Amino acid sequence: MLTVAEAIAAIVRETSRLSAVRVKLADALGRVLAEDAVSDLDSPPFDKALMDGYAIRAADAARPDARLRVIDEVLAGQVSRQSVGPGEAIRIMTGALVPIGADAVVPVERTRLEEAERDQTVVVVNPAGLSVGKNILKRGASTRQGTRVVPAGRTLRMQEIGALAELGRAEVAVFPAPRVAVLATGDELVPVEQTPGPGQIRNSNESMLVAQLRSMGAVAHPLGVARDDPAELRNRIGKGLAHDVLLLSGGVSAGKLDLVPAALAEAGVRQVFHKVLVKPGQPIWFGVKEPSGATRPVGAVRPCCVFGLPGNPVSSMVCCELFVRTAIRALAGIEPAEPRPMRGTLTRDHRNVGNRPTYHPAKWEWTEQGGRVEPVKWVGSADLGATVEANALAVFADADRNYTSGSIVDVLLF
Ligand code: AMP
Ligand code: MG
């Protein structure tokens, strides 16, 4: 049986990123940039006033109470047609282009207007600390034309969106959001709004997986419930294979009606692995459907990654965090695709019973002593309610071991 690390490595090996598409900048948040974004202009594009005040020649303010003639006024977005000569000043606002001749801006708080002299306003300047270049941001000081501002491979956050807007990119090339079909299987499942009859349960996995996928930046398409019937399964699997990823929940263990592995084999999905040494989620199945061949599903032009997730809700959730998330990240161009754990100190003793590494629902918080992690009370893979109290999975990697309070463990944050 594969370990979690081996299974994740197999998923990374089998998955390649989607082809880049062009999207509007407003739709690019969370996507990975597919090309370097290089500055087409200097930034700022001109010598720019950083304060409201007067554009002057610094040399004119060498002595206290220098008196300068105000010859013009320039607001942000305007260009003065005058230049600043010796003994002159131009009133200027923050963001305006610094007029020719001026080499400093004196803040308005350091000045005092005097009575007009023959129709000319005079400003008295207190020169303390005023030197050449003061309160002026030189053209190109933050970015020179031709500089790479946002590198290819970067996941776009607000910072990159702002920088790309400054670079004039109304559209950008990104790796698209993977499209994922979700198919729940099981004769016992009833819709969420129904009260289950004897032996029935509500289909919680569909809503949960759709939410989980959306939180990963994927586009989720629920395909409803397939009954435990080979013909129905075959039909729904065929629809699901037209997506980048197909998730099935249920039907992958060793029960009499666990028909999913056989149905996937029949649909031409190549099995990569079945079963991983992990708790919960051991029966997980993973395979790839190549787009070629006579059975190529309509619309499928690239491989489809197929996951058979065990039906128990927490098993589905944990397998989605560990394995499906890795595939989604790889398809979306996020590197590394593998899950990246934090660490935390256990706040109490915990025994990992059994022969498998356990991903235990837990509360993680940052404190002055660093990350602290508390496993929540959890009775096993059907206990979805316990995860409501959790914001993470604590990784108890060693089978059959007592973890004492104060031990440090890996933690995967939800
Ligand atoms: P299976 O993997 O099909 O053997 O199912 C394992 C357990 O998970 C059974 O108790 C199922 O009733 C339950 N289960 C399967 N599918 C779902 C689902 N979509 N929502 C909630 N529980 C499920
Ligand atoms: Mg089942």
Side-chain angles (χ1 to χ4, degrees):
M1 209 181 310
L2 296 187
T3 63
V4 170
E6 288 165 345
I8 285 171
I11 292 165
V12 170
R13 210 163 42 235
E14 293 286 345
T15 317
S16 55
R17 65 186 187 204
L18 300 169
S19 308
V21 293
R22 297 195 72 77
V23 298
K24 290 205 188 76
L25 184 57
D27 298 327
L29 184 67
R31 308 263 47 90
V32 170
L33 193 64
E35 64 194 0
D36 287 341
V38 172
S39 180
D40 62 337
L41 297 170
D42 288 340
S43 175
F46 47 84
D47 293 355
K48 181 174 169 173
L50 290 176
M51 301 284 267
D52 295 323
Y54 293 87
I56 64 167
R57 294 169 173 245
D60 279 349
R63 54 191 171 71
D65 290 340
R67 301 172 79 253
L68 307 174
R69 268 175 299 118
V70 181
I71 57 166
D72 197 8
E73 179 176 273
V74 55
L75 309 181
Q78 295 180 348
V79 178
S80 174
R81 265 185 262 120
Q82 311 264 39
S83 62
V84 176
E88 293 176 342
I90 291 181
R91 177 86 168 101
I92 193 164
M93 310 305 155
T94 303
L97 185 153
V98 175
I100 294 167
D103 58 16
V105 171
V106 57
V108 70
E109 299 82 353
R110 296 273 203 75
T111 65
R112 170 166 52 83
L113 275 182
E114 268 195 356
E115 71 289 349
E117 263 182 8
R118 292 193 304 277
D119 290 340
Q120 299 228 293
T121 312
V122 169
V123 66
V124 182
V125 175
N126 168 4
L130 200 77
S131 52
V132 170
K134 194 77 182 170
N135 300 320
I136 294 175
L137 189 63
K138 293 296 274 183
R139 170 178 180 159
S142 68
T143 311
R144 285 246 162 255
Q145 181 183 2
T147 309
R148 185 177 71 172
V149 179
V150 188
R154 176 65 62 84
T155 301
L156 302 179
R157 308 161 299 166
M158 59 168 177
Q159 298 93 306
E160 286 81 13
I161 299 286
L164 289 165
E166 192 181 7
L167 300 186
R169 304 302 166 91
E171 285 190 352
V172 286
V174 297
F175 301 110
R179 298 166 309 118
V180 187
V182 176
L183 178 58
T185 75
D187 286 340
E188 75 280 28
L189 300 180
V190 298
V192 173
E193 59 275 16
Q194 258 181 43
T195 303
Q200 295 182 323
I201 59 161
R202 293 195 177 107
N203 174 15
S204 54
N205 285 353
E206 179 185 285
S207 306
M208 177 186 75
L209 291 169
V210 165
Q212 211 170 349
L213 289 161
R214 286 196 183 140
S215 74
M216 297 174 189
V219 180
H221 299 283
L223 297 184
V225 174
R227 299 292 145 205
D228 291 320
D229 166 70
E232 190 172 336
L233 262 179
R234 204 181 311 128
N235 180 303
R236 303 286 184 99
I237 286 171
K239 291 200 176 81
L241 290 176
H243 297 73
D244 301 315
V245 181
L246 167 60
L247 299 191
L248 296 102
S249 93
V252 288
S253 16
K256 203 170 166 192
L257 285 180
D258 288 334
L259 307 170
V260 165
L264 290 172
E266 205 187 321
V269 186
R270 169 175 54 87
Q271 177 183 313
V272 177
F273 61 75
H274 189 189
K275 293 193 168 57
V276 173
L277 197 64
V278 61
K279 183 176 153 186
Q282 176 164 280
I284 182 172
W285 192 101
F286 171 66
V288 176
K289 168 69 180 162
E290 310 298 344
S292 54
T295 54
R296 173 173 162 170
V298 181
V301 290
R302 47 163 292 122
C304 176
C305 295
V306 184
F307 291 90
L309 306 177
N312 267 312
V314 187
S315 308
S316 270
M317 181 192 284
V318 168
C319 287
C320 192
E321 281 307 302
L322 291 176
F323 306 117
V324 179
R325 184 186 283 277
T326 299
I328 300 290
R329 286 169 64 94
L331 290 165
I334 300 172
E335 286 176 2
E338 293 86 351
R340 281 168 309 164
M342 309 276 284
R343 311 216 81 193
T345 306
L346 274 182
T347 57
R348 54 179 159 82
D349 295 347
H350 179 84
R351 175 155 185 80
N352 185 26
V353 210
N355 63 343
R356 286 174 280 163
T358 302
Y359 289 72
H360 193 113
K363 272 190 246 186
W364 183 89
E365 66 168 346
W366 185 254
T367 70
E368 279 177 18
Q369 289 78 42
R372 312 279 281 175
V373 61
E374 180 194 338
V376 301
K377 185 177 160 291
W378 177 54
V379 300
S381 55
D383 184 7
L384 196 53
T387 66
V388 172
E389 297 310 317
N391 63 0
L393 295 168
V395 187
F396 296 106
D398 300 332
D400 209 18
R401 171 182 153 190
N402 270 320
Y403 286 79
T404 50
S405 174
S407 314
I408 293 175
V409 296
D410 276 357
V411 176
L412 290 171
L413 297 186
F414 285 140

